[in-house]
Amino acid sequence: MLNEKVVALLNDQINKEFYSAYLYLDFSNFYEDKGLDGFANWYRIQAQEERDHALLFYDYLHNNSEKVTLGAIAAPDVEMNELADPLHAGLKHEQYVTDLIHTIYAAAKEVNDFRTMQFRDWFVKEQGEEEKNANDLITKMELFGSDPRSLYLLDQELAARVYTAPSLVLD
């Protein structure tokens, strides 16, 4: 049995990960409406990743004989007018998720829940990658976004992204 506080945080994280997927689908929708299919693709794949993260938490709780409690998923509330708005909101959101991951890790550490800490290690690393990717998108948009030809090439680059399932294996 896992610690009650840790279980509550893990259950909450399932909801947060599904919200992340929902948020990124909203970003994808924004870019679809703008005719930027590559940006839309990038965020649609990002949404798939977040959904899979939620399912990893789901499986982890079940594998540890803990009850999964699913909550309502809030509607995204990010105002998007400029092409870079979703990019900045995405970075801010990833920083928020990093804080959530660290909170769960700290709670597990406090009660010597080494199994959950080990499970969280993958997510700590993953969040580093997520923040770097979000920063890189902002940098590229700042460098190339004002030039239509360069924006087209950036959109093509993002269109080439393909989905790769998470590499974390649960025992």
Side-chain angles (χ1 to χ4, degrees):
M1 294 255 318
L2 300 177
N3 174 274
E4 187 177 313
K5 178 182 176 183
V6 173
V7 170
L9 288 169
L10 290 168
N11 267 303
D12 188 50
Q13 191 65 31
I14 292 170
N15 181 271
K16 303 291 189 202
E17 296 292 339
F18 279 127
Y19 172 80
S20 296
Y22 205 41
L23 178 67
Y24 291 146
L25 279 177
D26 198 35
F27 292 178
S28 179
N29 187 48
F30 172 80
Y31 286 120
E32 285 280 352
D33 289 346
K34 299 293 184 190
L36 292 169
D37 297 339
F39 282 83
N41 175 65
W42 199 91
Y43 276 110
R44 187 177 177 111
I45 289 173
Q46 197 64 25
Q48 287 178 285
E49 280 190 10
E50 302 304 338
R51 181 210 59 213
D52 281 353
H53 293 169
L55 293 175
L56 287 169
F57 287 104
Y58 176 93
D59 290 341
Y60 180 76
L61 286 171
H62 278 290
N63 288 349
N64 285 280
S65 302
E66 295 293 346
K67 182 173 173 44
V68 172
T69 306
L70 300 175
I73 302 170
D77 62 351
V78 174
E79 187 173 325
M80 297 176 282
N81 299 306
E82 304 296 323
L83 293 180
D85 288 347
L87 305 179
H88 290 285
L91 174 59
K92 183 178 176 184
H93 183 72
E94 289 300 339
Q95 291 166 336
Y96 167 70
V97 172
T98 297
D99 286 343
L100 294 171
I101 298 298
H102 291 170
T103 297
I104 298 169
Y105 196 96
K109 184 178 181 183
E110 187 176 300
V111 295
N112 293 324
D113 180 352
F114 301 111
R115 183 181 309 152
T116 299
M117 289 168 58
Q118 182 181 27
F119 171 63
R120 303 308 299 160
D121 283 341
W122 184 88
F123 285 95
V124 170
K125 179 180 178 282
E126 175 70 9
Q127 281 309 119
E129 292 173 11
E130 298 287 13
E131 287 187 30
K132 181 184 182 322
N133 289 339
N135 267 316
D136 288 351
L137 281 176
I138 291 169
T139 299
K140 288 177 181 182
M141 180 61 90
E142 288 172 351
L143 287 170
F144 309 119
S146 60
D147 174 52
R149 281 178 251 161
S150 295
L151 181 60
Y152 174 79
L153 292 174
L154 178 56
D155 191 57
Q156 293 302 301
E157 175 186 321
L158 298 178
R161 183 181 187 196
V162 295
Y163 177 71
T164 305
S167 59
L168 179 63
V169 177
L170 299 177
D171 293 328

